[in-house]
Amino acid sequence: DIQMTQSPSSLSASVGDRVTITCRASQSISSYLSWYQHSPGKAPKLLIYAASSLQSGVPSRFSGSGSGTDFTLTISSLQPEDFATYYCQQSYISPYSFGQGTKLEIK
Amino acid sequence: QVHLVQSGAEVKKPGASVRVSCKVSGYTLTGLSKHWVRQAPGKGLEWMGNFDPEDGETIYARKFQGRVTLTEDTSTDTAYMELSSLRFEDTAVYYCASVRADGSFDLWGQGTLVTVSS
């Protein structure tokens, strides 16, 4: 099974900050990588698919990059609604494993 | 617009089974591959398995093999996840999600809380 490792596990930041979250796969997954935002009481929300494509309706301050085993999610200027938990997920091969999550908190 | 609407919260005793439904509206069920994901309290998202409508095959995460069954009823446009031999640690919110060709989960149900309690 492919293991997905995110870092950091948690992150404190302020509104307006630029933040980067990384995700590493235990083997190459090409660009079969998605990023989700998950807030308490809500369903996860797709932000980025195919490693770097922005899902329709998602603000352009979110961006993704990478291929192979190393990926990043960047939020260029944090907004109050961005404080949530973020997950990467590979869809290269079943099981479609998720990273352990990165909790983004207000500093 | 397509929506995935899940059944309501359940409370079950250890050893029992639970079935969660996921009804598709606004699209034909057979066009959407459905996956199931859960989140236990204080834990991350965990992929459980999926039903492939193209060939009718199911793939289960090793952790749940033998306890989970995924099915779909095309006559009612509803997908089902049944988990048996429930344990306290199966207490979680269970989600259904539809998958696009690129593998991303673009649509999610609202989640169903399953509580296992004696």
Side-chain angles (χ1 to χ4, degrees):
Chain A
D1 296 357
I2 297 176
Q3 308 301 317
M4 305 300 292
T5 303
Q6 287 181 234
S7 62
S9 296
S10 63
L11 177 59
S12 293
S14 302
V15 172
D17 284 353
R18 177 185 180 91
V19 299
T20 297
I21 300 169
T22 65
C23 178
R24 175 165 289 176
S26 60
Q27 66 182 73
S28 177
I29 58 170
S30 185
S31 295
Y32 289 89
L33 191 283
S34 303
W35 289 96
Y36 302 88
Q37 178 191 66
H38 195 198
S39 299
K42 296 185 178 181
K45 175 185 177 182
L46 176 64
L47 300 174
I48 301 289
Y49 63 94
S52 60
S53 296
L54 190 67
Q55 171 70 353
S56 176
V58 173
S60 59
R61 63 181 179 272
F62 291 92
S63 64
S65 65
S67 67
T69 61
D70 294 310
F71 303 86
T72 60
L73 171 71
T74 299
I75 310 173
S76 60
S77 179
L78 277 172
Q79 298 302 301
E81 60 268 30
D82 299 337
F83 293 94
T85 301
Y86 293 84
Y87 294 90
C88 62
Q89 183 215 14
Q90 66 83 17
S91 54
Y92 182 72
I93 192 170
S94 287
Y96 285 10
S97 41
F98 289 90
Q100 81 277 18
T102 296
K103 187 173 184 179
L104 181 53
E105 300 174 306
I106 300 175
K107 184 183 288 185
Chain B
Q1 194 170 5
V2 184
H3 294 283
L4 303 180
V5 181
Q6 297 184 222
S7 49
E10 302 264 12
V11 179
K12 297 290 183 181
K13 294 190 181 301
S17 297
V18 67
R19 191 173 77 158
V20 178
S21 66
C22 172
K23 185 172 176 58
V24 181
S25 65
Y27 197 79
T28 301
L29 179 74
T30 54
L32 298 176
S33 175
K34 238 71 76 273
H35 290 234
W36 291 83
V37 175
R38 78 177 188 181
Q39 184 182 38
K43 303 290 186 179
L45 299 176
E46 182 174 33
W47 183 85
M48 298 180 67
N50 74 284
F51 177 87
D52 189 336
E54 291 193 352
D55 56 18
E57 289 199 0
T58 51
I59 301 175
Y60 301 122
R62 197 172 308 169
K63 174 178 180 176
F64 300 102
Q65 279 185 351
R67 289 208 300 140
V68 68
T69 303
L70 302 182
T71 56
E72 294 195 2
D73 182 346
T74 56
S75 68
T76 60
D77 286 339
T78 303
Y80 297 94
M81 186 282 299
E82 182 167 8
L83 187 62
S84 62
S85 302
L86 288 169
R87 311 158 184 166
F88 295 117
E89 54 266 35
D90 291 320
T91 293
V93 177
Y94 290 77
Y95 295 98
C96 62
S98 65
V99 179
R100 300 193 304 206
D102 57 62
S104 62
F105 295 2
D106 60 337
L107 287 174
W108 294 72
Q110 82 276 20
T112 296
L113 175 61
V114 174
T115 302
V116 182
S117 175
S118 55

